[in-house]
Amino acid sequence: MVFVFGAIPGERVAAVVRTVRRRHVFADTEEILRPSDDRVEPPCPLFGRCGGCHWQHVAAPRQLALKVAVVLDALRRAGCPAEPETVDQVAAVEPLGYRWRGEFHRIATPGAVRLGFTERHGYRRLPIEACPLHHPAINRALPQLAAALDPGRQPAGDATLHLTVGEAGAELLVEPRPDRAGAATLIARAGPELDPRLSDATTGLRYRQMAFRVTPASFIQVNQGMVEALYETVAAWLGPAGAGHVVDAYAGIGVLSCRLAERARRVTAIELNPQAAALCRLHAELNGVQDRLAVRRGPVEVELAAAGPADAVVVDPPRAGLTAPVLGQLGLGGPPVLVYVSCEPAALARDLHILCTLGPYRLDRLRIVDCFPQTYHVETVARLSRR
């Protein structure tokens, strides 16, 4: 299979091969011989050099269609059962400026320190002035944060800035890595008058009427504009089972857990990370659902069985997907309803093959949610019912 960067399916292009592997060949478009009607001008002048984006040359509707095709192709290749009757698509609210979190490399240039990303080819760093995919609050702060970095403090390229937008864009959580202890010094250098204001501890996010605190280590959905499309799909697809006992595996800081606890009789949130589990408990109290939300800290492989019988289980695992012990527990004694949220089509397809083809579940619905415009990454929600 040949992957051609900068091309659109159906186009005729001249391309040059960059990498040859055992099963795949990677090439770059050199000339467009017969362009697609879906080709657009990339909004970023660094597109093609920067390694962050893949599809800026593709119109938004075609991007979503391609993501649907990628997910369905992954299911077919994994040997999943027939496609569900309904395959929903949810387009991105904002194609640009949607990323509330980013990591920027420190780059020493003649006379100044700048921030930027890794180039698409190799490991060289590419200085930027702003990134069209990131929230305006991040782009406003980049010049002063770059100026606040001391050129003599660390070797070039040895540090990154991890940035998280909070308080509806009014605050920016700053964490230098690996020197996390230098955050307070960096913020002082940047100046107190900076808009957005800077923090080195926590910042606040809101979902519907609920409030949450996040740290640099907390997992968040980087596209906050698509959280409702994602989480309300989960809540709706639980159906009547969502009013009973729901287990939210891989719960993180508990945003979805708190939402599910608003209508469930009982929610059990499972989270391995101790800081995230503590924040999940805090958020249950902060949002008034502590009587219906219990947090179990530990691996899902252990805590899923300890949570007891459930009417429904929600899984939102890391990119690698579900582990064999979790798949085994779900297959042997899983709930009537299982909702699977995935950011990796290949891992989702593999797990659905096990649960539906080899196991006792049927794939009822599938929804593709475009949380990452201009890239090939996609979120998928699958609803399974036990036969």
Side-chain angles (χ1 to χ4, degrees):
M1 183 177 291
V2 180
F3 295 94
V4 184
F5 180 88
I8 303 173
E11 288 187 325
R12 185 175 181 181
V13 305
V16 59
V17 173
R18 296 291 186 185
T19 306
V20 177
R21 296 183 179 170
R22 187 165 63 92
R23 295 185 178 180
H24 303 104
V25 174
F26 296 90
D28 284 352
T29 298
E30 291 286 299
E31 184 181 359
I32 310 297
L33 304 177
R34 188 179 63 210
S36 166
D37 292 339
D38 296 313
R39 178 169 288 276
V40 297
E41 187 67 24
C44 179
L46 298 178
F47 176 67
R49 289 184 61 198
C50 177
C53 295
H54 318 107
W55 288 355
Q56 283 194 20
H57 62 295
V58 185
R62 185 66 185 278
Q63 287 191 31
L64 182 55
L66 288 172
K67 293 181 182 187
V68 173
V70 166
V71 172
L72 294 181
D73 182 65
L75 294 179
R76 295 187 195 105
R77 288 175 178 273
C80 288
E83 297 171 11
E85 294 182 3
T86 304
V87 180
D88 302 319
Q89 306 170 33
V90 182
V93 175
E94 295 289 346
L96 300 171
Y98 64 84
R99 287 193 63 94
W100 285 51
R101 171 171 280 177
E103 192 165 88
F104 298 81
H105 298 294
R106 173 188 182 274
I107 305 170
T109 62
V113 170
R114 298 177 65 187
L115 294 168
F117 301 120
T118 302
E119 289 190 349
R120 188 167 64 88
H121 289 303
Y123 299 95
R124 293 179 58 185
R125 301 290 168 78
L126 181 67
I128 66 164
E129 299 298 328
C131 172
L133 265 62
H134 283 79
H135 193 284
I138 290 178
N139 285 323
R140 289 199 308 271
L142 285 180
Q144 284 182 258
L145 287 171
L149 290 168
D150 182 1
R153 189 176 182 191
Q154 291 176 332
D158 190 40
T160 58
L161 282 187
H162 187 273
L163 306 176
T164 304
V165 178
E167 303 298 347
E171 189 170 64
L172 194 61
L173 185 59
V174 180
E175 184 184 62
R177 298 177 177 178
D179 183 20
R180 291 172 168 84
T185 302
L186 176 63
I187 291 173
R189 286 200 194 108
E193 73 284 353
L194 186 64
D195 174 30
R197 64 180 179 270
L198 304 181
S199 169
D200 63 348
T202 67
T203 192
L205 296 177
R206 298 194 67 86
Y207 179 59
R208 294 198 158 199
Q209 304 303 314
M210 297 179 289
F212 301 90
R213 302 300 299 178
V214 300
T215 70
S218 301
F219 170 82
I220 66 167
Q221 294 290 343
V222 297
N223 190 341
Q224 287 289 299
M226 296 300 289
V227 171
E228 179 146 353
L230 197 62
Y231 286 173
E232 294 312 303
T233 293
V234 174
W237 284 10
L238 289 176
H245 176 208
V246 180
V247 173
D248 182 14
Y250 313 94
I253 63 172
V255 179
L256 180 57
S257 300
C258 289
R259 172 68 182 100
L260 298 177
E262 289 184 320
R263 62 188 292 257
R265 172 176 52 84
R266 180 163 63 100
V267 173
T268 301
I270 301 174
E271 175 53 45
L272 175 62
N273 182 276
Q275 184 185 71
L279 284 172
C280 188
R281 293 188 182 95
L282 171 67
H283 294 150
E285 296 182 12
L286 187 63
N287 295 297
V289 294
Q290 68 273 22
D291 292 340
R292 298 190 298 280
L293 175 55
V295 180
R296 300 190 66 91
R297 191 186 76 78
V300 175
E301 291 81 356
V302 174
E303 300 299 335
L304 184 59
D311 299 289
V313 169
V314 178
V315 292
D316 187 358
R319 186 173 296 276
L322 300 174
T323 63
V326 173
L327 287 166
Q329 290 184 58
L330 292 172
L332 292 173
V337 175
L338 174 64
V339 177
Y340 192 138
V341 182
S342 171
C343 62
E344 175 48 61
L348 173 69
R350 178 203 65 210
D351 294 347
L352 292 189
H353 169 68
I354 294 172
L355 291 168
C356 298
T357 305
L358 306 178
Y361 283 95
R362 178 182 65 245
L363 178 59
D364 297 326
R365 298 190 68 177
L366 201 66
R367 177 168 289 173
I368 284 78
V369 183
D370 192 4
C371 292
F372 311 103
Q374 319 306 334
T375 79
Y376 53 62
H377 300 295
V378 61
E379 290 277 351
T380 307
V381 186
R383 185 190 190 277
L384 287 67
S385 60
R386 195 175 182 91
R387 291 176 291 196

